[in-house]
Amino acid sequence: MALKSVFDSSVIRAEFDKAGINTRFIPLIWKYVIQNPDFNWEDIPSLPSSAYTLLGAKFKTLTSVVDSVLESNDGVTTKLLIKLQNGAFVECVIMRYDSSLGKLNGKPRPGGPRSTLCVSSQVGCKMGCTFCATGSMGFKNNLSSGEIVEQLVHASRLSTIRNIVFMGMGEPLNNYSALVEAIRTMTASPFQISPRKITVSTVGIIHAITKLHNDVPNLNLAVSLHAPVQDIRCKIMPAARAFPLEKLMNALQEYQKKSQQKIFIEYIMLDGVNDEEQQAHQLGKLLETFQVVVNLIPFNPIGSLSQFTTSTNQKVIKFQKILRGIYDIRTTVRKEMGQDISGACGQLVAVDLKKFYVDRRDD
Ligand SMILES: C[S@@+](CC[C@H](N)C(=O)[O-])C[C@H]1O[C@@H](n2cnc3c(N)ncnc32)[C@H](O)[C@@H]1O
Ligand code: SF4
């Protein structure tokens, strides 16, 4: 029988309850695991003896291992290749936005440099977006909540993680219960990441969006819209057929009414597909009644897997000007990081990953 992750919080809580062990010990165990890469359960001080027996019989200190670490040329992005207990690989990416100096407005940032961790929620993805490397793999399996949290544990040993984005491999809302449990663990002791520093990015799984705020309030929601009209959306994102634009916008309206928070809209700029002035106006009209921030994202090449190219700078700037100037919508252009190690959005793919890493080490 495969041993469980101690970071699968519902499993460890149930086991502790069954054995009559106080669950207040669980955060202490988590803290010990984060701080000590190599140890035996007996090394953790001050647990009841029944806890050592239970941990030894049913749990592993970590069920996943860091197989390789790749640094981008500028040292800002680090990609971890993580091997799961079932032999599959996922990736997570640390982005040190202000790592070089850890400064804010020229002064040392209180608490040191801040890093953002991009985590994976699935091995592969079944949504099949035509521009996404992960989508090209198809769906392999869901991660458990413990496997999601373990990515944070591995990354925390390399960097102080302040923000989490669910923008790695997979569609987080297609792995809903593990996602919710992982977020509850990440926001609890000892991680204590504020929900406001966690962003869940989704292709638009309507039934999950409608319950997300009730289950985990105060998160940031990012929606991968990528087109302002249903027919273009369907062409580039097959999932749009099951989750039509009109119904998605209604769900977002409801979400915003409940959460009172702005929603992030992700929009990949694909040359000749969704980047014309007409589409900027359609997007402006679609979003003008919402509180949103639109991120215009350059398309990251994924080798021969996709037929797209990214829009020219002029088109991106024109698009941004229309949204800002005419529709008064906050619109940013995302600076992609980590392209040289395929650590940018949509470039995470576990096909032949081992080979990729080995090849890169030889560069
Ligand atoms: C990989 S997805 C994971 C989260 C979720 N499944 C989603 O689609 O929002 C994270 C973001 O990367 C974007 N993305 C996918 N492929 C991309 C590519 N080749 N270039 C730029 N962004 C891409 C997605 O559209 C999404 O906004
Ligand atoms: S963009 Fe997101 S939903 Fe689409 S295939 Fe990639 S991971 Fe899945």
Side-chain angles (χ1 to χ4, degrees):
M1 190 190 68
L3 295 173
K4 305 276 184 201
S5 168
V6 276
F7 293 97
D8 268 318
S9 66
S10 59
V11 175
I12 191 167
R13 272 174 215 291
E15 291 289 350
F16 269 44
D17 280 342
K18 209 160 69 182
I21 305 167
N22 195 324
T23 54
R24 78 182 163 84
F25 291 111
I26 295 172
L28 302 178
I29 295 167
W30 288 345
K31 192 168 176 193
Y32 199 89
V33 177
I34 296 163
Q35 291 175 345
N36 297 279
D38 208 11
F39 70 98
N40 297 313
W41 292 123
E42 294 73 33
D43 300 335
I44 306 179
S46 314
L47 296 183
S49 60
S50 53
Y52 296 114
T53 315
L54 178 67
L55 289 168
K58 301 214 164 156
F59 293 93
K60 251 186 152 174
T61 50
L62 285 171
T63 58
S64 59
V65 291
V66 178
D67 188 89
S68 338
V69 177
L70 264 187
E71 292 280 345
S72 62
N73 292 335
D74 58 10
V76 171
T77 307
T78 304
K79 182 159 79 162
L80 308 184
L81 176 66
I82 291 176
K83 189 174 185 183
L84 308 176
Q85 204 165 198
N86 69 359
F89 289 92
V90 288
E91 299 179 315
C92 63
V93 181
I94 303 170
M95 293 163 285
R96 299 178 194 82
Y97 284 105
D98 53 358
S99 65
S100 48
L101 297 169
K103 287 187 174 173
L104 178 65
N105 302 328
K107 297 193 183 111
R109 179 184 283 285
R114 289 185 316 180
S115 296
T116 292
L117 177 67
C118 175
V119 292
S120 295
S121 53
Q122 297 183 312
V123 181
C125 179
K126 66 175 175 197
M127 306 319 274
C129 301
T130 51
F131 43 76
C132 175
T134 308
S136 72
M137 289 171 64
F139 173 70
K140 309 282 185 228
N141 63 268
N142 278 329
L143 266 60
S144 71
S145 71
E147 287 170 328
I148 296 173
V149 176
E150 285 190 16
Q151 294 170 63
L152 173 58
V153 176
H154 293 302
S156 299
R157 290 173 175 171
L158 301 178
S159 190
T160 306
I161 306 295
R162 295 286 162 81
N163 302 283
I164 309 260
V165 293
F166 283 83
M167 293 191 187
M169 292 165 65
E171 168 49 52
L173 296 188
N174 277 347
N175 186 11
Y176 190 79
S177 53
L179 171 80
V180 168
E181 191 174 311
I183 292 173
R184 287 181 180 154
T185 305
M186 289 168 165
T187 52
S189 176
F191 299 103
Q192 284 186 312
I193 295 193
S194 160
R196 293 191 190 280
K197 304 273 181 196
I198 298 180
T199 302
V200 172
S201 175
T202 176
V203 74
I205 311 295
I206 294 171
H207 54 268
I209 291 174
T210 56
K211 54 186 179 170
L212 188 62
H213 177 72
N214 288 343
D215 288 333
V216 268
N218 300 321
L219 293 175
N220 295 306
L221 179 66
V223 179
S224 298
L225 203 62
H226 304 323
V229 289
Q230 175 70 358
D231 67 331
I232 302 179
R233 215 168 175 257
C234 283
K235 274 185 202 136
I236 58 177
M237 306 165 77
R241 285 186 210 110
F243 304 107
L245 187 60
E246 200 184 327
K247 288 192 175 153
L248 174 60
M249 298 316 288
N250 291 342
L252 294 182
Q253 207 152 37
E254 279 303 301
Y255 183 90
Q256 188 146 68
K257 217 158 87 189
K258 280 191 258 172
S259 71
Q260 294 293 313
Q261 274 176 264
K262 58 180 180 282
I263 294 173
F264 294 87
I265 300 292
E266 294 162 283
Y267 196 99
I268 303 185
M269 297 298 288
L270 300 171
D271 189 37
V273 177
N274 63 355
D275 63 348
E276 305 299 340
E277 287 184 28
Q278 184 197 8
Q279 281 123 28
H281 286 287
Q282 288 170 326
L283 187 63
K285 287 191 186 111
L286 186 71
L287 298 176
E288 64 187 344
T289 58
F290 285 84
Q291 289 293 318
V292 289
V293 177
V294 174
N295 280 323
L296 301 179
I297 308 171
F299 167 66
N300 293 315
I302 52 170
S304 57
L305 291 174
S306 173
Q307 73 274 30
F308 300 114
T309 49
T310 196
S311 308
T312 59
N313 276 345
Q314 290 98 304
K315 269 187 163 176
V316 176
I317 289 164
K318 180 83 203 168
F319 208 92
Q320 184 184 32
K321 262 195 179 153
I322 293 173
L323 291 175
R324 277 185 174 171
I326 300 182
Y327 299 95
D328 198 20
I329 293 174
R330 216 174 119 197
T331 308
T332 59
V333 179
R334 184 181 293 170
K335 181 175 173 296
E336 284 295 349
M337 296 185 292
Q339 282 195 355
D340 57 317
I341 54 168
S342 289
C345 280
Q347 288 185 312
L348 302 181
V349 59
V351 173
D352 233 2
L353 267 179
K354 288 282 287 182
K355 179 176 176 307
F356 173 77
Y357 273 73
V358 171
D359 290 349
R360 292 295 306 218
R361 272 196 216 131
D362 295 343
D363 279 354

